[in-house]
Amino acid sequence: MKKLYLLLCSLPLVGCSVTPPELGVSGEALQDCPITPNCISSMDNSSHDMAPILFNGSMAEAKGKLVSIINSLPRTTIVEERDNYVRVEFRSQLIGFVDDVEFLLSQKTGEKTQIDFRSASRLGISDLGVNKARMKNVTALFAQ
């Protein structure tokens, strides 16, 4: 019983202590998702993919709206922010597991901005659809 108690007490620390995988922009793209089903990306041509977010406006306006949406969501921390890139850590409510989410903005013809993203769990194999649900939510909030 004592071992079980120690294990349960240490779980929140496990989610917090793992270092993030290699993240960031490679060339003009985000890193591909791993083969595990705990990642969703708008740039990966695998079964994990979703369409990027499209915004009618400048890249600066799109980034401002994106940062506002991120800040409105619970348990989020923006850990890196550049002109065309935002990296965020989302923590689960119960145990504090970390998901790494990246956004890459690019200006398209006219006043259109494309926001590509990658959302991946730091630990485990399955995320029970959390990353895909999160990105569907962010996309829906962006459309409002």
Side-chain angles (χ1 to χ4, degrees):
M1 186 67 167
K2 187 175 182 181
K3 288 182 182 181
L4 179 62
Y5 176 76
L6 289 174
L7 175 66
L8 291 174
C9 288
S10 66
L11 279 177
L13 299 176
V14 171
C16 299
S17 66
V18 175
T19 57
E22 186 175 329
L23 301 171
V25 180
S26 176
E28 293 182 11
L30 298 170
Q31 301 290 330
D32 285 340
C33 282
I35 59 171
T36 54
N38 61 356
C39 180
I40 188 79
S41 174
S42 65
M43 298 187 106
D44 197 350
N45 292 326
S46 68
S47 62
H48 308 293
D49 60 350
M50 274 179 67
I53 300 167
L54 298 176
F55 178 73
N56 288 321
S58 72
M59 206 162 66
E61 292 169 324
K63 183 179 168 207
K65 184 169 183 173
L66 177 64
V67 167
S68 177
I69 288 168
I70 291 167
N71 286 330
S72 74
L73 299 173
R75 300 173 306 283
T76 61
T77 304
I78 295 177
V79 293
E80 187 176 349
E81 187 176 342
R82 290 183 258 147
D83 288 342
N84 68 335
Y85 177 79
V86 179
R87 183 166 75 87
V88 185
E89 290 180 349
F90 284 80
R91 294 191 183 275
S92 66
Q93 184 173 3
L94 192 56
I95 300 180
F97 289 122
V98 177
D99 291 343
D100 295 294
V101 183
E102 300 174 282
F103 299 92
L104 180 63
L105 295 88
S106 57
Q107 192 71 54
K108 298 300 173 190
T109 55
E111 280 290 304
K112 290 194 182 272
T113 301
Q114 179 170 311
I115 304 171
D116 284 290
F117 55 83
R118 179 184 186 275
S119 181
S121 300
R122 227 178 249 186
L123 289 176
I125 295 173
S126 176
D127 67 351
L128 304 174
V130 169
N131 284 292
K132 188 169 192 170
R134 172 185 302 117
M135 295 318 302
K136 283 184 174 185
N137 182 42
V138 170
T139 301
L141 290 170
F142 222 92
Q144 292 179 356

